Amino acid sequence: MVPDDTSDILGAVVVDLEQAGRLDADWVGKDAGGRRAEVGVIAGAPGAASDLLVSGFTSALPANAEVVATRPGMFDPVTAREVAKSMVREHPGLDYAFVANEEMALAARSSFDAAGARGVRIVTVNGTDKGLAAIKQGTLSATVTNSPLVNGTMAVRNTLALLAGKQADRIDSVPLVLVTKGNLDQAPQYCP
């Protein structure tokens, strides 16, 4: 999120975390196809990044998708596994889970599967090699890429252009891609 006053910023490359959450919510809305759906949210640690992801996700969900549980996973797979375990026990009709990163999402998947909730579709963010492999296998349904490689490349390119007096965006946004099985080939490399 870009602040209103950017006069003191020499240059930045930012990730629109709210947009990342909205992209996942849009996928849930399309996949649910108008039928009632129960959604669980496994957030990161309370604070700016996780709060932005979650607010983007929850604000973009269609009316037929109801968030029935929201708990922090603390960006920790062990915590996320426990949260998912209790979430599916308390909400056995859970259809979808939004999880704030792929490492936690894979841990949540193991809890859902162990509880017999293999049908819970998980959406997440990052676009790591492990996350993309999980998409290919059907373990995760969708992820929104947030590539450090793309972020760093943009930052260096913009910095060199600005130092050379050339045209470049002082504040630039990393392009986000919602990745599913259908467009795995469009996922940017996460990190070499």
Side-chain angles (χ1 to χ4, degrees), residues 60-117:
L61 281 173
N64 58 298
E66 177 188 2
V67 175
V68 295
T70 302
R71 297 205 181 101
M74 304 307 292
F75 293 115
D76 174 59
V78 173
T79 303
R81 187 175 294 115
E82 291 304 312
V83 167
K85 186 177 176 181
S86 65
M87 193 175 282
V88 77
R89 186 175 46 245
E90 294 166 15
H91 303 281
L94 197 66
D95 299 295
Y96 297 94
F98 171 71
V99 186
N101 74 18
E102 290 168 357
E103 188 177 19
M104 289 194 308
L106 292 169
R109 171 86 280 149
S110 68
S111 285
F112 291 149
D113 290 354

Side-chain angles (χ1 to χ4, degrees), residues 20-166:
R22 286 191 294 271
L23 288 169
D24 275 331
D26 288 346
W27 184 90
V28 168
K30 288 175 185 155
D31 189 66
R35 74 182 188 294
R36 186 183 179 291
E38 289 188 6
V39 181
V41 174
I42 302 176
S50 180
D51 292 353
L52 290 169
L53 279 169
V54 171
S55 70
F57 178 78
T58 57
S59 69
L61 281 173
N64 58 298
E66 177 188 2
V67 175
V68 295
T70 302
R71 297 205 181 101
M74 304 307 292
F75 293 115
D76 174 59
V78 173
T79 303
R81 187 175 294 115
E82 291 304 312
V83 167
K85 186 177 176 181
S86 65
M87 193 175 282
V88 77
R89 186 175 46 245
E90 294 166 15
H91 303 281
L94 197 66
D95 299 295
Y96 297 94
F98 171 71
V99 186
N101 74 18
E102 290 168 357
E103 188 177 19
M104 289 194 308
L106 292 169
R109 171 86 280 149
S110 68
S111 285
F112 291 149
D113 290 354
R118 285 182 168 73
V120 175
R121 292 170 206 85
I122 299 174
V123 296
T124 188
V125 296
N126 286 139
T128 64
D129 291 343
K130 275 181 148 178
L132 296 177
I135 297 275
K136 185 175 185 176
Q137 295 166 348
T139 306
L140 302 177
S141 295
T143 192
V144 176
T145 64
N146 178 8
S147 167
L149 176 64
V150 172
N151 191 318
T153 300
M154 290 174 69
V156 169
R157 183 192 67 222
N158 290 356
T159 298
L160 292 174
L162 290 168
L163 288 171
K166 296 180 180 174

